[in-house]
Amino acid sequence: MTQFQHATEKTVQKRRSEGEMVEVTCSFCGGRGKDPFGIMSWLSTCCVCGGRGRVQVPALHGRCAHCRGTGAIKTFTCTVCRGTGHVPLIPGPLQACPECRGTGDDAASALACMTCRGRGWVPQASHR
Ligand SMILES: [Zn+2]
Ligand SMILES: [Zn+2]
Ligand SMILES: [Zn+2]
């Protein structure tokens, strides 16, 4: 009779910062809570923050490259950050996007860069 013994040792570490949200000033309206471009009316509610002037973003966030942190592309809500002006950051080494060189823009279409999804950075290639 043979007996197999195997040690099952697993170290599972959970990132505490995961899912944590913080409240910041809405970039789209600058915290005023009103439509900054007066598309409907200067008195209409900001579509990004719902008139609160504050938005929730992940605790780990950075400035949106595509809209330069303004939350707006011309008079439209930025599709990358949905108007908040901030994008979630991935923990770990990052590098400037080789496609748009960190601008977050697609040179041909003026839309968000496909490679970095408008964020301007990509996770650094890991060597294992
Ligand atoms: Zn707003
Ligand atoms: Zn943006
Ligand atoms: Zn890019």
Side-chain angles (χ1 to χ4, degrees), residues 98-112:
E99 190 66 33
C100 62
R101 294 196 200 89
T103 65
D105 303 328
D106 183 78
S109 64
L111 295 171

Side-chain angles (χ1 to χ4, degrees), residues 21-126:
M21 302 291 277
V22 291
E23 214 173 53
V24 295
T25 305
C26 174
S27 294
F28 193 64
C29 64
R32 291 186 300 275
K34 301 288 180 207
D35 186 344
F37 302 109
I39 304 290
M40 300 300 210
S41 147
W42 290 105
L43 296 172
S44 56
T45 308
C46 171
C47 58
V48 176
C49 59
R52 291 172 60 239
R54 319 264 302 157
V55 284
Q56 298 247 322
V57 294
L60 203 60
H61 64 268
R63 193 184 71 141
C64 175
H66 188 50
C67 64
R68 317 290 185 265
T70 63
I73 301 295
K74 288 178 187 139
T75 58
F76 297 103
T77 313
C78 174
T79 51
V80 176
C81 60
R82 281 168 298 168
T84 64
H86 307 280
V87 286
L89 276 184
I90 299 166
L94 301 168
Q95 61 181 29
C97 174
E99 190 66 33
C100 62
R101 294 196 200 89
T103 65
D105 303 328
D106 183 78
S109 64
L111 295 171
C113 169
M114 296 288 277
T115 307
C116 60
R117 285 180 292 162
R119 289 170 181 187
W121 47 259
V122 288
Q124 224 169 66
S126 55

Side-chain angles (χ1 to χ4, degrees), residues 2-8:
T2 332
Q3 251 189 357
F4 288 104
Q5 245 193 0
H6 36 195
T8 45

